[in-house]
Amino acid sequence: GVVESIKNQEEEEKRLEGMTPQQLNDVKKTLEEDVKSLNQSLQGMKLAGSKFRESKGVVESIKNHDMEEEIMIPLTSSLYVPGRICETDKVVVEVGAGYFIEVTPDKAKEY
């Protein structure tokens, strides 16, 4: 609880007080690296969340898509080819580690 947390903080302060300037600098560098790593992880999670929200919106729009309408299909982040959606009752979803599954749009939204 709170008392244990205060005791741990006091022990940490005593440990830090006994360190040399070089040791404190090493602790500082380690903490800075930890913060950098956590920030990178946070940015990755935000990007993943954004991609999931975007994918959900696209799955919704596929249901009402006119099959005769031409769309631009991305091959890379900057290369597109014209094409048409010929099936709207199935989509392919990446499930991780390079594996994909074919599901209905409703199942894709659940995933």
Side-chain angles (χ1 to χ4, degrees):
V2 174
V3 174
E4 185 176 311
S5 178
I6 292 171
K7 286 181 182 179
N8 288 339
Q9 185 177 355
E10 290 172 353
E11 289 173 12
E12 185 67 20
E13 287 175 7
K14 287 179 187 176
R15 191 174 73 81
L16 290 172
E17 287 172 0
M19 290 184 167
T20 66
Q22 180 60 45
Q23 289 172 320
L24 289 171
N25 195 36
D26 291 344
V27 169
K28 178 185 171 218
K29 285 180 184 177
T30 299
L31 291 173
E32 287 172 344
E33 289 171 6
D34 290 348
V35 168
K36 183 178 177 182
S37 177
L38 289 170
N39 278 327
Q40 288 173 339
S41 295
L42 176 61
Q43 292 307 314
M45 294 298 288
K46 286 181 179 179
L47 179 60
S50 174
K51 286 182 177 183
F52 280 121
R53 283 187 296 279
E54 180 183 14
S55 294
K56 186 176 181 180
V58 170
V59 166
E60 274 297 316
S61 70
I62 285 176
K63 286 181 177 180
N64 305 320
H65 187 72
D66 177 10
M67 290 194 190
E68 297 301 316
E69 182 183 350
E70 191 172 89
I71 62 169
M72 297 303 289
I73 301 169
L75 296 179
T76 69
S77 62
S78 60
L79 179 63
Y80 297 80
V81 296
R84 287 185 174 76
I85 297 175
C86 56
E87 288 185 49
T88 60
D89 60 335
K90 293 182 254 175
V91 295
V92 177
V93 177
E94 182 179 4
V95 293
Y99 290 95
F100 298 84
I101 58 172
E102 190 175 272
V103 294
T104 65
D106 288 335
K107 288 286 184 187
K109 287 191 308 184
E110 291 174 14
Y111 182 80

